[in-house]
Amino acid sequence: MLASACFSFAKIPNPHTRPSATLDEKPPNCAGARHGRRARPCSRRALPSFCRATRSKGWQMIPVQGFEGQKVAVLGLGRSGLATARALLAGGAEPLLWDDSPEARAKAEAEGFTCTDLMRHGAMEGVACLVTSPGIPHLYPAPNKVIARALEAGVPLDNDIGLFFRSVALGSWDEFDTVPRVVCVTGSNGKSTTTALIHHILQVAGRPTQMAGNIGRGVLDIDPPQDGEVVVLELSSYQTDLARALTPDVAVFTNLSPDHLDRHNGMGGYFAAKRRLFAEGGPDRAVIGVDEVEGRFLANQVAQGPQDDRVIRVSSGSKLDEFGWSVFARKGFLAEWRKGRQMASIDLRTVSGLPGAHNHQNACAAYAATRALGLAPKLIEQALHSFAGLPHRSQLVGERGGVRFINDSKATNVDSAAKALQAFPKIRWIVGGMGKDGGIASLQPFLGSVVKAYLIGHSARDFALQIGDLPHEICETMDRAVGRAAAEAEAGEVVLLAPAAASFDQYPNFEKRGEDFMAQVRTVIG
């Protein structure tokens, strides 16, 4: 739906009216048609014992459409890979599975699948599609050897996100009063919180909703959407870069900062991967954070002009009252403006689950997305106050003697750490891990609120050289860092874990690092 350099939107349908035609007869700009073709029911004989067992227990999936009787290769057998294999089989395809890990193959075989070495001579013959997991490089820094073989053979590449969009619109949608909607959230930071917040607001509003993608369940592992349901998906750049179909009803772009540059051959490729969410199908509404130049460029490309209210511009800090529709936060207050008039205002300072300007940006994006779905401002405000936040993202762990302990283990890069450092006035900062390119030197402008730093992990000594004359102590381990920070902290201060580094030197992932911080805090505060 590209017209020259500009994107065009489909006409926004009324979600509260029942479609008058069958799904196959709907025009392309009807919400029900944007998510693929009518699903043909799979025969029971096509389902192996594990599929029948899960259905008998009330678990469902979205059968993949369009590959009945065809071979589809699946590379990578983690959570999304196995869910994809099940959904392909349920749709009548013949999945060919492979993973370099013997443990992953054993798990798939335990479910009744047969694994096929996709590098074997002739393995790609007759394969209709290769579906790959997001963690496997498909282009940069170099394609995985199986993907390279598929490219040479001309076998189309896709991922579970692309299969979801071609398969989600089931025939039962013809009977619905309100066609299901799909909201997709992408960006560098805050997309998990924004996704979870949209899901939470919908739950509080009593709307049926499911959350999946890069958070929660695999997209093909969810239940088929029901009448009026909203599916909220978090999508990473790895997922948007490869999906052959991307047709959300509402697309959200939070922000952009350097990350995963090796996988995208630089910042331009990284932005291009995010931008595909708005280019491939043209969402009915686009919610775009404009605090960076890339967001302003994207909004400019998508909108037909500044008054085009199909684009909702979002900011944390800038006043945006001159546009057709905008939501922004300034000095702790969220404001919604439309066509030159202020429509609503919310005091975010009292929302305990969303501290700091970065979370106010998340709140603005979630507010805009749910307003686009027709929810009332007062209802959204109520839901904001009951949102507890996500684990390891500005998570309040506990308090002792006026000192709060905050777990932001998800702050794995300098940009997210900078946002955390701006959220609190007096900070005892636990920082370190496996440092990324550039270290933390760029955080110098954000250290004004830091009373002292407590350095841990592989890069502790390197980081110590990059924080100037800031008081610091090399603790190396989490237990020592928490103990020392807690012993020295005074009332009104915050002990903040915001590592600005990866966790792999001491932990399997950032979740385990955050759990260790929480365990040490509980030991200290009793």
Side-chain angles (χ1 to χ4, degrees):
M1 300 189 64
L2 286 166
S4 184
C6 294
F7 306 127
S8 62
F9 282 94
K11 179 182 176 182
I12 302 170
N14 182 350
H16 304 294
T17 59
R18 178 175 173 175
S20 58
T22 66
L23 189 62
D24 289 331
E25 297 168 340
K26 290 176 185 174
N29 59 359
C30 178
R34 65 187 307 110
H35 304 307
R37 68 192 71 181
R38 176 195 297 274
R40 287 174 291 189
C42 57
S43 62
R44 192 169 182 83
R45 63 177 176 81
L47 297 177
S49 58
F50 74 82
C51 283
R52 294 197 297 271
T54 55
R55 289 193 171 184
S56 68
K57 294 178 182 178
W59 303 336
Q60 300 188 61
M61 68 186 78
I62 295 176
V64 173
Q65 305 303 307
F67 293 108
E68 186 172 357
Q70 299 181 68
K71 295 179 181 178
V72 178
V74 178
L75 178 63
L77 300 178
R79 183 192 64 169
S80 66
L82 276 178
T84 298
R86 299 182 195 113
L88 283 163
L89 201 58
E94 180 186 344
L96 307 178
L97 277 55
W98 185 252
D99 193 297
D100 287 342
S101 165
E103 293 80 9
R105 296 199 301 270
K107 185 176 179 180
E109 289 167 350
E111 289 199 17
F113 289 108
T114 300
C115 292
T116 301
D117 185 353
L118 297 176
M119 286 301 293
R120 178 176 52 81
H121 178 72
M124 289 293 171
E125 291 181 8
V127 171
C129 182
L130 171 62
V131 182
T132 182
S133 295
I136 300 174
H138 56 269
L139 184 55
Y140 300 112
N144 171 276
K145 59 184 180 180
V146 173
I147 293 176
R149 178 71 61 85
L151 295 175
E152 292 169 359
V155 174
L157 299 182
D158 207 345
N159 59 18
D160 60 337
I161 305 301
L163 299 184
F164 168 84
F165 278 110
R166 70 180 287 160
S167 307
V168 67
L170 301 176
S172 58
W173 286 24
D174 298 347
E175 308 302 321
F176 292 165
D177 293 323
T178 303
V179 172
R181 313 294 293 279
V182 178
V183 178
C184 291
V185 181
T186 195
S188 295
N189 296 304
K191 57 183 178 294
S192 294
T193 297
T194 300
T195 302
L197 184 53
I198 293 170
H199 179 61
H200 172 75
I201 294 169
L202 290 165
Q203 287 180 315
V204 171
R207 295 281 294 272
T209 178
Q210 297 183 76
M211 180 173 65
N214 208 40
I215 184 173
R217 300 158 67 182
V219 293
L220 295 171
D221 209 23
I222 67 172
D223 298 336
Q226 300 304 303
D227 196 336
E229 190 161 18
V230 180
V231 177
V232 189
L233 305 180
E234 177 193 341
L235 301 183
S236 71
S237 58
Y238 298 169
Q239 293 167 314
T240 58
D241 194 27
L242 189 59
R244 297 175 74 88
L246 284 169
T247 53
D249 298 287
V250 179
V252 180
F253 175 87
T254 58
N255 50 56
L256 196 78
S257 61
D259 210 356
H260 310 304
L261 301 188
D262 59 330
R263 278 289 300 269
H264 299 291
N265 200 34
M267 194 69 173
Y270 180 49
F271 177 47
K274 299 288 189 183
R275 186 180 170 193
R276 289 192 74 239
L277 184 61
F278 300 81
E280 293 305 301
D284 295 335
R285 296 281 186 192
V287 177
I288 300 176
V290 295
D291 286 334
E292 295 87 26
V293 65
E294 291 89 353
R296 293 190 288 274
F297 176 81
L298 180 60
N300 180 276
Q301 289 287 287
V302 171
Q304 296 299 315
Q307 295 305 310
D308 186 350
D309 63 2
R310 295 171 297 183
V311 176
I312 308 176
R313 290 170 171 83
V314 167
S315 174
S316 176
S318 298
K319 190 175 183 179
L320 302 173
D321 56 350
E322 69 272 26
F323 295 101
W325 199 350
S326 61
V327 179
F328 55 90
R330 298 183 73 205
K331 299 180 180 179
F333 286 86
L334 179 152
E336 177 191 1
W337 282 71
R338 193 166 188 181
K339 302 293 185 182
R341 295 178 57 228
Q342 184 169 345
M343 308 300 293
S345 178
I346 298 174
D347 185 354
L348 296 176
R349 298 172 301 175
T350 60
V351 180
S352 60
L354 295 165
H358 63 301
N359 273 315
H360 292 176
Q361 183 185 59
N362 300 334
C364 288
Y367 176 96
T370 49
R371 285 288 285 141
L373 293 169
L375 272 62
K378 287 295 183 183
L379 185 57
I380 299 172
E381 181 177 7
Q382 174 189 345
L384 292 178
H385 282 281
S386 62
F387 182 65
L390 288 178
H392 317 299
R393 297 162 176 86
S394 297
Q395 178 187 12
L396 176 62
V397 179
E399 185 172 343
R400 186 191 70 173
V403 176
R404 288 182 293 161
F405 295 81
I406 303 293
N407 169 22
D408 203 358
S409 182
K410 184 62 169 66
T412 58
N413 57 43
V414 293
D415 187 70
S416 53
K419 290 178 169 61
L421 292 172
Q422 295 174 78
F424 308 100
K426 295 181 179 180
I427 298 171
R428 301 273 173 176
W429 181 29
I430 298 177
V431 56
M434 183 66 72
K436 298 186 176 181
D437 289 347
I440 59 171
S442 60
L443 289 175
Q444 283 279 357
F446 307 103
L447 301 182
S449 60
V450 178
V451 178
K452 182 177 177 179
Y454 303 82
L455 297 125
I456 62 173
H458 177 270
S459 298
R461 285 169 174 77
D462 290 338
F463 282 9
L465 299 174
Q466 299 174 7
I467 55 178
D469 57 0
L470 179 72
H472 66 272
E473 182 175 339
I474 295 177
C475 297
E476 295 188 344
T477 62
M478 186 70 74
D479 59 341
R480 178 168 174 78
V482 171
R484 294 291 298 144
E488 297 179 351
E490 300 176 357
E493 295 181 344
V494 167
V495 175
L496 170 69
L497 172 65
S503 60
F504 305 126
D505 58 330
Q506 294 177 313
Y507 304 94
N509 48 52
F510 74 84
E511 291 96 342
K512 291 298 183 183
R513 177 172 59 191
E515 289 169 7
D516 189 18
F517 172 78
M518 295 168 67
Q520 301 304 327
V521 168
R522 293 187 182 111
T523 299
V524 167
I525 67 178

